[in-house]
Amino acid sequence: MTGRERLLDPTGFDEKAADDTLAPRPAGLRGLTIGLLDNTKPNAEVLLTEIAGELQRRYGAGKSLMYTKGYFGTPAEEDMLKRIAKECDLVVTAVGDCGSCSAATVADGILLERAGIPTVSIVSDSFLVSGRAMAEVQGFPGFEFVAVRHPVASLDAEQLRERVRDVLPDVLRILGVES
Amino acid sequence: MSTLIDAPMADAAEIRSAMEYYARQEWTDGLPVVPVTESYLEEFLARTRRDPDEVLFAVPHLNRRCTVRLAAINAAMAGCLPEYFPVVLAAWDAVAKEPYPRKGIWQSTTGTAPLLLVNGPVRERIGLNSKGNVFGSGFRANATIGRAIRLTAINVFGLHPHKLDQATQGTLGKYSACIAENEEESPWEPLHVEHGLGPADSAVTAMVIRSCLHIEARHTSVPEQLALDIAGTIRRTGALIHETSSALLVLGPEHARVFGDAGWSKDDVRRGIYEHAVNTRAELAAVGKDAISRHSRWRLPNGHPDAMPDRASQGENPDRVPALVSPDALQLAVAGANNAGVSTVIETFGVRGDTPSIAPVRDLDV
């Protein structure tokens, strides 16, 4: 019979060195190359293209480049993130509208910020908490991302444009640009 | 009120206070857990030759790794006895072979549970139930080994519901899902032997599961009828998130014997079901699942902007859409009591024709 002992922690949670530094923000969007990271969820590509169009029309942003993730449930491959960081000045990624992909979309944003690229991650507002939980496990608890009104997958083109109008102020705020 | 004269004495308040501490820390699946200290942990670690720091399973995108030591702490908290620990370790080895858990399926809205299926002599040795009420409660080894995996998912991988675990509804097997195969009342070789292990080996097969559906067929002794009945459940359109489905068919011994007595092998059963687990194009169109997404290959209506034709529509008979990609998308096991014509279809998320994720139980001699 053993005596009194301390209860053990079952989590193995080692506080990863927090790194919550954002990439430097641009003064304006004029001429900047927009990276669009499509996680393959329905309507993600359309949503991203609409946002890029708005940034180009209203703020004079430069060309946009579309990147497609191999699998929506995990962060983009390191090679792809490196290529995006090399080819783009800012990134918008969407759409986290499921359990694993909402967290992965936020993780992509954090990884790109750490690679020096201002990034807007877009998740549906049903998945705010999983996005926040992911930011915590990535050591960036206060990471800001955009919550678009759920759902996204079932919208038609006009409804999607409406969603884009709704979130545009948040996209600009996260990019550090006056709207 | 009565008190048994030989019941042990305990400080119930202190036991409760330890349990409440775990609850406050959110180190629980909602049920009380067993307090674990270093000396109790040692009893678990003494059951394996593996290094306590060996990583059993990692989810890189969550920055989390489950070591032998963490698996042991959580198994003890789940109520396992130390002699169950080699089975828990094999369960983690099997989970690590599964394609979906490391890719985030445990965070998914789909709301799956890890199912463990145990084969071999270890079943008897630690009292794993393979007979009556095999999916039910009442057997410590089944209850706590299955629970150990889920408790570890919550504690080590941080998969708390409403946070990183975004299951829309989850599934009833999520507290614990561990069964053993009733090898003794099966007409066929057990699952682990079918996949290359010896009958004297013990093994754990891991699967990612969704629904468990009853097959009630008590009055047929015609294998074709039974296969057709089971196929009707397997082809159901509600299960079709992907282009095709996959399932573990857990036959009750009586149903297994209907097939076995007629001379059907496991492959005959698989083929018999595969051939009838088919929907018509019109049936799929009626539920908006007659095409697939060109991105994710999930089923959606023809006419959706992401839609492209499914594989069947390019074949010889485009109006006939098989629910299984091949007969091998159906795994077979025998479990339950030999007392009625009852079986279960467990819909799985993952293996479609590949070898299931099986790991041998090691260090049973330690």
Side-chain angles (χ1 to χ4, degrees):
Chain A
M1 182 110 184
T2 46
R4 297 165 63 83
E5 295 171 286
R6 185 83 54 200
L7 296 175
L8 296 177
D9 177 348
T11 66
F13 189 96
D14 56 341
E15 297 287 344
K16 253 185 94 90
D19 175 3
D20 56 0
T21 324
L22 288 172
R25 270 27 202 172
L29 300 183
R30 189 153 298 280
L32 298 187
T33 300
I34 308 167
L36 302 174
L37 179 54
D38 166 18
N39 73 345
T40 75
K41 293 309 294 277
N43 275 336
E45 195 183 343
V46 190
L47 184 81
L48 290 170
T49 307
E50 281 291 330
I51 290 174
E54 291 291 319
L55 298 181
Q56 286 158 341
R57 273 191 298 279
R58 297 196 198 187
Y59 302 95
K63 66 173 192 273
S64 66
L65 301 172
M66 183 73 70
Y67 304 84
T68 306
K69 275 170 79 161
Y71 177 65
F72 57 74
T74 48
E77 303 282 334
E78 205 178 325
D79 282 355
M80 176 174 278
L81 292 173
K82 274 190 188 147
R83 191 153 61 85
I84 296 172
K86 205 171 134 201
E87 295 170 354
C88 304
D89 301 308
L90 62 99
V91 171
V92 185
T93 180
V95 54
D97 73 343
C98 69
S100 55
C101 65
S102 52
T105 298
V106 168
D108 284 332
I110 290 171
L111 295 171
L112 283 163
E113 290 280 355
R114 286 181 182 154
I117 307 298
T119 301
V120 182
S121 299
I122 301 179
V123 307
S124 100
D125 62 8
S126 297
F127 296 96
L128 255 179
V129 281
S130 72
R132 284 187 186 138
M134 176 54 106
E136 251 169 67
V137 301
Q138 292 290 341
F140 200 150
F143 181 72
E144 277 203 275
F145 52 92
V146 172
V148 61
R149 191 153 44 89
H150 196 75
V152 172
S154 54
L155 301 185
D156 64 25
E158 179 45 42
Q159 292 168 316
L160 272 174
R161 275 193 289 276
E162 194 183 310
R163 290 285 198 281
V164 169
R165 282 194 293 273
D166 289 348
V167 300
L168 206 58
D170 282 334
V171 171
L172 291 163
R173 183 176 52 77
I174 289 173
L175 290 174
V177 176
E178 297 277 324
S179 52
Chain B
M1 201 171 89
S2 69
T3 308
L4 293 173
I5 204 104
D6 55 353
M9 304 288 285
D11 184 340
E14 176 149 32
I15 295 168
R16 269 202 316 279
S17 113
M19 282 172 6
E20 292 305 328
Y21 170 76
Y22 284 109
R24 277 196 308 278
Q25 295 292 319
E26 299 185 342
W27 291 343
T28 160
D29 52 9
L31 293 169
V33 293
V34 174
V36 180
T37 59
E38 202 67 44
S39 59
Y40 192 37
L41 171 63
E42 284 308 316
E43 292 184 40
F44 280 72
L45 297 177
R47 295 288 178 152
T48 179
R49 294 189 181 86
R50 298 169 81 162
D51 187 320
D53 293 326
E54 182 189 335
V55 174
L56 295 167
F57 180 59
V59 182
H61 70 273
L62 297 178
N63 290 329
R64 288 284 183 281
R65 291 140 34 111
C66 177
T67 58
V68 169
R69 181 185 155 85
L70 287 168
I73 296 174
N74 281 280
M77 285 169 65
C80 287
L81 291 172
E83 56 261 43
Y84 303 171
F85 192 46
V87 179
V88 173
L89 288 171
W92 280 112
D93 290 339
V95 165
K97 290 183 180 182
E98 278 277 272
Y100 280 97
R102 65 170 170 272
K103 294 204 300 185
I105 197 67
W106 290 348
Q107 297 161 247
S108 170
T109 45
T110 287
T112 62
L115 171 75
L116 308 174
L117 171 63
V118 184
N119 279 107
V122 76
R123 293 167 306 145
E124 186 117 328
R125 181 165 159 166
I126 64 171
L128 273 162
N129 181 32
S130 67
K131 297 189 167 68
N133 216 27
V134 69
F135 296 117
S137 53
F139 295 87
R140 182 173 182 178
N142 301 63
T144 61
I145 291 171
R147 188 188 183 202
I149 302 299
R150 281 291 306 150
L151 200 57
T152 306
I154 293 168
N155 287 335
V156 178
F157 295 101
L159 293 163
H160 294 271
H162 293 191
K163 292 179 189 166
L164 272 180
D165 180 346
Q166 282 291 311
T168 306
Q169 296 187 317
T171 184
L172 295 170
K174 222 163 161 175
Y175 278 103
S176 177
C178 175
I179 64 172
E181 183 162 20
N182 186 345
E183 299 175 13
E184 292 70 20
E185 291 180 291
S186 167
W188 305 298
E189 59 186 7
L191 187 82
H192 69 310
V193 175
E194 184 188 337
H195 291 285
L197 290 166
D201 293 329
S202 292
V204 180
T205 305
M207 297 188 190
V208 172
I209 68 160
R210 297 185 286 174
S211 312
C212 298
L213 300 145
H214 264 65
I215 307 289
E216 288 275 359
R218 293 166 184 250
H219 305 294
T220 182
S221 52
V222 181
E224 288 83 4
Q225 287 180 350
L226 186 53
L228 199 58
D229 210 0
I230 295 166
T233 292
I234 286 178
R235 76 183 176 103
R236 71 182 188 92
T237 58
L240 288 168
I241 177 174
H242 295 144
E243 182 167 10
T244 57
S245 212
S246 53
L248 167 70
L249 172 59
V250 181
L251 288 168
E254 198 169 303
H255 279 167
R257 219 176 45 213
V258 169
F259 291 124
D261 286 352
W264 287 34
S265 67
K266 277 190 181 180
D267 277 340
D268 293 334
V269 177
R270 275 192 263 265
R271 263 194 303 276
I273 294 169
Y274 164 76
E275 280 163 14
H276 295 106
V278 173
N279 290 295
T280 64
R281 179 72 52 198
E283 280 167 332
L284 288 174
V287 297
K289 291 185 175 177
D290 50 334
I292 57 169
S293 159
R294 67 193 153 89
H295 295 306
S296 63
R297 298 188 73 86
W298 288 11
R299 285 209 166 266
L300 39 67
N302 191 10
H304 187 282
D306 288 351
M308 65 176 252
D310 61 18
R311 207 174 295 147
S313 67
Q314 292 147 46
E316 271 178 28
N317 193 347
D319 287 333
R320 239 182 135 262
V321 189
L324 302 172
V325 70
S326 73
D328 292 338
L330 187 62
Q331 296 297 331
L332 243 68
V334 177
N338 188 23
N339 63 5
V342 172
S343 291
T344 300
V345 168
I346 300 182
E347 289 164 347
T348 57
F349 207 104
V351 177
R352 285 182 198 150
D354 308 315
T355 306
S357 306
I358 304 181
V361 180
R362 291 149 61 180
D363 295 339
L364 282 171
D365 56 328
V366 171

